């Protein structure tokens, strides 16, 4: 049995490997584990054979249990009858007295518990390059997710799944706004920013000059600067941007967050969160997150032309 003490996955893998050492006559035939990457939890299942013989009178079913784990449920097979057997949890082990179990030969025992997020990072590899592949009409962001050391995991688990593997990336949208918003509107925003800066400097002459430039600029738009800014911010909502984001299978779109620009009228980037599931049958997945930037730019241009100018 290899020494994995230096690996952060040891506290999970050893639960199953250690069970072979301690169950002895009541050796598990099947074991599985299911992680929830997003919630940092896991669920571990053992199929334990307890022959209805004199062996039940000697020894205990003793399974090492990592910190944070607890018994979720136990069933007797083949009817899946719930088992309410007493057990002890002490010094890192869960112990059953086999003589107190029902007369069936096989049982399913499920443990669940919390997992350190750092441990999950040692189990799953994520990659999402910051720079996209740029084309004239769209930007493509490649994303990758995979189970690390799948050969080792196959040696330990008959079945392993990792649900809700989330990846977040920043998708650039600034050029879509700066290219689509009319120069007259952009000039108003620039002059408004100059006026605010001058006011903060408490220089009367600078305030007067900045105010005059802002007044001249705003004559070319049909709304106030505040209304124009609000219109543009409304274009950067998740509902609007979602129509221009395409997510390749087996990834799924989870969330789009344009954030709240504090100094700028429109965001530089939006956060796009995608998710997928991994297993020993699907150990690695790749996909592209595509931003149809030209179509989104056309949408922004049409809206600002109609509602601001």
């Amino acid at each position: 049995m290899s020494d994995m003490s230096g690996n952060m996955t040891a506290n999970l893998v050893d639960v199953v490997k250690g069970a072979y050492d301690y169950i002895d006559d009541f050796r598990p035939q099947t074991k599985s584990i299911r992680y929830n990457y997003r919630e940092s939890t896991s669920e571990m299942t053992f199929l334990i054979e307890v022959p209805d013989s004199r062996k039940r009178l000697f020894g205990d079913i003793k399974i090492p249990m990592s910190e944070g784990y607890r018994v979720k449920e136990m069933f007797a097979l083949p009817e899946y009858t719930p088992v309410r057997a007493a057990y002890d949890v002490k010094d890192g082990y869960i112990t059953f007295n086999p003589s107190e179990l029902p007369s069936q030969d096989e049982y399913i025992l499920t443990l669940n518990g919390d997992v350190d997020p750092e441990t999950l990072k040692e189990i799953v590899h994520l990659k999402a390059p910051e720079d996209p592949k740029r084309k004239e009409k769209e930007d493509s962001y490649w994303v990758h997710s995979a189970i690390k050391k799948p050969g080792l995991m196959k040696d330990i688990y008959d079945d392993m799944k990792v649900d809700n593997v989330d990846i977040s990336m920043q998708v650039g949208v600034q050029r879509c706004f700066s290219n689509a918003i009319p120069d007259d509107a952009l000039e108003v925003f620039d002059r408004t920013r100059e006026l605010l800066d001058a006011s903060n400097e408490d220089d009367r002459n600078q305030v007067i000059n900045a105010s005059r430039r802002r007044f001249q600029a705003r004559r070319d738009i049909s709304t106030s600067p505040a209304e124009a800014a609000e219109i543009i911010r409304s274009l950067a909502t998740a509902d609007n941007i979602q129509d221009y984001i395409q997510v390749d299978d087996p990834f799924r779109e989870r969330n789009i967050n344009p954030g709240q620009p504090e100094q700028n009228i429109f965001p530089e980037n939006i956060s796009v969160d995608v998710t997928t599931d991994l297993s020993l049958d699907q150990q690695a997945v790749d996909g592209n997150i595509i931003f149809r930037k030209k179509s989104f730019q056309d949408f922004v241009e049409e809206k600002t032309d109609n509602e601001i100018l």
Side-chain angles (χ1 to χ4, degrees), residues 42-290:
S42 73
E43 184 172 283
M44 193 176 305
T45 301
F46 297 94
L47 176 59
I48 304 172
E49 185 174 358
V50 186
D52 189 11
S53 66
R54 65 185 304 271
K55 289 181 180 179
R56 281 180 178 255
L57 304 177
F58 304 98
D60 292 324
I61 301 174
K62 190 176 182 183
I63 304 175
M65 186 165 64
S66 287
E67 182 178 354
Y69 278 77
R70 53 205 167 269
V71 175
K72 178 184 179 182
E73 56 196 7
M74 188 174 187
F75 295 98
L77 300 179
E79 292 84 5
Y80 270 85
T81 306
V83 175
R84 308 297 181 193
Y87 60 88
D88 292 324
V89 178
K90 186 178 180 181
D91 298 329
Y93 298 99
I94 175 171
T95 304
F96 290 88
N97 184 339
S99 66
E100 297 180 0
L101 295 175
S103 59
Q104 285 92 335
D105 289 345
E106 292 183 329
Y107 301 85
I108 284 183
L109 172 66
T110 301
L111 311 178
N112 60 12
D114 301 322
V115 183
D116 187 333
E118 292 301 317
T119 298
L120 288 173
K121 291 179 182 178
E122 293 297 319
I123 295 173
V124 175
H125 173 71
L126 305 178
K127 189 171 184 180
E130 294 182 2
D131 296 327
K133 290 183 178 179
R134 302 185 188 278
K135 296 182 180 180
E136 181 180 356
K137 295 185 177 181
E138 64 185 32
D139 289 342
S140 179
Y141 296 77
W142 176 77
V143 288
H144 170 80
S145 178
I147 293 176
K148 293 183 179 180
K149 303 177 183 177
L152 171 63
M153 296 304 179
K154 280 187 174 182
D155 289 342
I156 304 304
Y157 304 113
D158 290 340
D159 181 47
M160 175 185 178
K161 293 182 173 64
V162 187
D163 298 331
N164 301 323
V165 180
D166 297 335
I167 300 179
S168 180
M169 71 207 72
Q170 297 296 309
V171 174
V173 297
Q174 182 181 29
R175 289 186 179 180
C176 294
F177 284 97
S178 59
N179 291 339
I181 297 173
D183 291 340
D184 292 339
L186 290 175
E187 185 178 3
V188 170
F189 298 144
D190 289 339
R191 299 295 175 251
T192 300
R193 189 177 298 108
E194 288 178 2
L195 179 59
L196 291 174
D197 291 341
S199 299
N200 292 332
E201 293 292 331
D202 198 26
D203 185 317
R204 186 171 180 273
N205 289 330
Q206 286 188 20
V207 170
I208 292 174
N209 291 332
S211 179
R212 184 182 297 114
R213 288 193 294 269
R214 179 175 179 269
F215 175 78
Q216 293 173 345
R218 64 171 296 183
R219 290 181 303 180
D220 295 323
I221 66 174
S222 61
T223 62
S224 70
E227 291 172 332
E230 187 61 31
I231 290 171
I232 290 173
R233 288 193 183 100
S234 72
L235 303 180
T237 62
D239 287 343
N240 284 330
I241 295 173
Q242 184 178 38
D243 294 337
Y244 303 94
I245 297 290
Q246 175 185 326
V247 179
D248 286 353
D249 288 334
F251 290 94
R252 309 179 297 276
E253 179 190 306
R254 179 171 175 254
N255 185 49
I256 294 177
N257 182 11
Q260 297 293 330
E262 295 181 359
Q263 297 181 344
N264 299 322
I265 302 301
F266 45 82
E268 294 184 9
N269 301 288
I270 58 172
S271 176
V272 177
D273 300 331
V274 297
T275 190
T276 190
D277 303 318
L278 300 172
S279 68
L280 292 180
D281 293 327
Q282 183 174 263
Q283 301 170 12
V285 294
D286 299 277
N288 288 296
I289 313 306
I290 297 172

